[in-house]
Amino acid sequence: MIVYFSGRWQIGFLLQLKGSVVPRALAWAVPSTTLAVFLHQMTERDAEMSMSQFASYNFVVGFLLVFRTQIAYSRYWEAASIMQRVRGSWFNAASTCCAFCSTKPE
């Protein structure tokens, strides 16, 4: 469990790095920002070269976006089918308990 210290103005936990997603997010954000700034600087120098660079960059970003979306979609449906099986198993267990716990002599 992460223990949060609120600090003097009750917002000290916002600046805490332990248990935070900020370092991991910065690991992705800094290289992407650097590449975007580099491409922007190249655009100002040569307009013809910039279109091919932007087309390449957009292709790579689009491919990665579609790939990640496809993986997330497949994970969602895998989890949904597993939850359906779990629900069916719980229903069978509850039905069996009701069937065998009857007080009627038969």
Side-chain angles (χ1 to χ4, degrees):
M1 183 168 99
I2 301 172
V3 178
Y4 294 103
F5 298 106
S6 58
R8 184 174 175 188
W9 291 300
Q10 307 299 321
I11 59 169
F13 67 91
L14 293 176
L15 302 174
Q16 181 177 348
L17 288 181
K18 183 179 178 184
S20 176
V21 297
V22 172
R24 195 168 190 189
L26 284 177
W28 287 96
V30 170
S32 177
T33 304
T34 305
L35 181 62
V37 168
F38 173 74
L39 288 175
H40 181 69
Q41 293 297 324
M42 294 300 290
T43 303
E44 293 177 357
R45 291 184 194 169
D46 187 15
E48 291 178 18
M49 195 166 133
S50 68
M51 288 301 149
S52 64
Q53 288 174 347
F54 279 128
S56 301
Y57 180 71
N58 285 336
F59 174 76
V60 170
V61 169
F63 179 76
L64 291 175
L65 183 65
V66 168
F67 182 71
R68 287 187 59 120
T69 303
Q70 180 184 10
I71 288 178
Y73 187 71
S74 67
R75 285 181 182 174
Y76 168 78
W77 280 110
E78 181 182 3
S81 63
I82 289 172
M83 287 301 296
Q84 187 72 16
R85 279 191 278 158
V86 167
R87 193 186 105 195
S89 297
W90 277 105
F91 182 75
N92 286 340
S95 298
T96 304
C97 285
C98 290
F100 290 118
C101 293
S102 176
T103 58
K104 295 181 185 177
E106 292 186 32

